[in-house]
Amino acid sequence: MTDGHPLRFGFVVNDVDTEQDNYTTIRLARRALSRGHEIALVGLADFTYDADGTVRACAHMPCGQDYADDAALLADLQSDECPTERISVDDLDVLMLRSDPADEMVERPWAPGSGLLFAQLSALKHALVVNDPTHLTDASNKTYFQHFPEDVRPVTCISCNIDEIKAFIEAREGYGVIKPLQGSGGQSVFVVTPESAGNLNQMIDAVLRDGYAIAQEYLPKAKDGDLRLLMLNGRPLEVDGTYACIRRYNDSGDARSNISAGGKYEMAKPDADALRLAELVAPKLIRDGMYFVGLDIVGDKLMEVNVDTPGGINMLEELTGLDFSGRILDDLERKLRLRKHYGKTLSNVELAML
């Protein structure tokens, strides 16, 4: 509650029918419900710009308020028995953008951009939209990563030219990482070594089928996995002195440590290098309204900045028993109390990062 009144939370996902109960989105929605707030899930294809200038959506609403676990809430949201209502998105208090553009590349490439355009219109009205949809339009592409300080990034080449990619790898004695410019979850990610040189052409061809390829220097520490450090308001997310940080690793011989690619995870404390990286990227995250972000770190370098669907809250809470989702909701409630006093004199970016 904020000043005794429930808040209205909207969560934008790819498609409500494809949501899973281990997603951070569902955990946040259930925790918001347990606080007495109202929630609605909206798919990327569910928006309408009405004739009166209002952004509306066909939203999935829960039947109840108290759910034993995330699976129970999701089952209700996906059932035919719970209501689907035509709501005014503009009247929501918070609209959290939680869709993954990579999931739409083949079947619905129009969907992520369209969702962001509707969210931009809503940000002009009442709703606090996080992450900020204007800057998220740029940040959803991996070239966004190249706008951060050079100190935090591996040496990188981005090209559609197979000879350019091969030259980059050869200049680093046959070592490198190749992945699509757009994508996530460890899909089409190849670690190149001198021993795999015979398959280099096939690796590059596989990545180029999806458009531009990113080639990065190989970081030897990657064999030990990576750190996923969650950021809130441009700072590492903490609860009771424990950072929202996990080490992801793969002991099966697969070079990818993504959980969706079969990786494992454990709690981790960010070292001095990780905290230094978090400090260096903070100014740009704050300037761009990137409220909730996941940093993927190997050694003293960032591998990726996840601004679309940073996850892991459910894993963190299960490992520690700490209420990380509650910490995020506390912060959003605080922002909305501030908005009440300042009205529309605060821009969406300013309010998102206060």
Side-chain angles (χ1 to χ4, degrees), residues 57-70:
C58 180
H60 292 248
M61 321 286 283
C63 294
Q65 194 82 28
D66 186 25
Y67 291 88
D69 53 32
D70 297 347

Side-chain angles (χ1 to χ4, degrees), residues 42-239:
V42 177
L44 289 174
D46 294 335
F47 289 101
T48 296
Y49 182 79
D50 220 342
D52 65 0
T54 302
V55 176
R56 302 188 187 277
C58 180
H60 292 248
M61 321 286 283
C63 294
Q65 194 82 28
D66 186 25
Y67 291 88
D69 53 32
D70 297 347
L73 170 59
L74 183 60
D76 253 10
L77 290 168
Q78 293 176 335
S79 75
D80 294 331
E81 302 189 4
C82 288
T84 302
E85 296 183 11
R86 189 171 186 264
I87 67 169
S88 168
V89 179
D90 296 343
D91 291 338
L92 293 171
D93 293 298
V94 178
L95 185 66
M96 291 198 76
L97 305 179
R98 297 283 307 164
S99 63
D100 187 348
D103 289 347
E104 308 291 353
M105 287 179 60
V106 177
E107 300 294 333
R108 302 192 307 174
W110 50 267
S114 299
L116 287 175
L117 293 176
F118 284 110
Q120 288 173 16
L121 293 171
S122 290
L124 297 174
K125 301 291 184 67
H126 176 74
L128 166 62
V129 184
V130 289
N131 293 339
D132 182 72
T134 300
H135 292 94
L136 198 57
T137 303
D138 299 325
S140 292
N141 189 294
K142 283 191 174 66
T143 55
Y144 179 70
F145 189 46
Q146 302 308 117
H147 292 276
F148 287 92
E150 186 176 352
D151 278 357
V152 310
R153 298 183 273 112
V155 180
T156 300
C157 170
I158 304 174
S159 181
C160 270
N161 187 305
I162 188 170
D163 291 330
E164 294 280 358
I165 301 297
K166 288 175 69 175
F168 179 89
I169 299 295
E170 290 167 4
R172 281 148 191 85
E173 299 180 350
Y175 288 92
V177 177
I178 307 172
K179 56 188 176 182
L181 181 59
Q182 294 181 314
S184 70
Q187 298 176 8
S188 299
V189 176
F190 297 96
V191 176
V192 184
T193 66
E195 290 74 26
S196 63
N199 296 319
L200 182 57
N201 286 340
Q202 293 94 318
M203 293 178 188
I204 298 175
D205 286 341
V207 175
L208 291 178
R209 280 198 294 267
D210 294 325
Y212 275 90
I214 296 179
Q216 290 181 329
E217 67 174 310
Y218 174 71
L219 302 176
K221 289 186 178 180
K223 69 180 186 301
D224 299 322
D226 65 11
L227 291 182
R228 163 60 66 89
L229 176 63
L230 294 179
M231 304 280 284
L232 195 74
N233 284 325
R235 300 291 184 266
L237 173 59
E238 289 182 77
V239 172

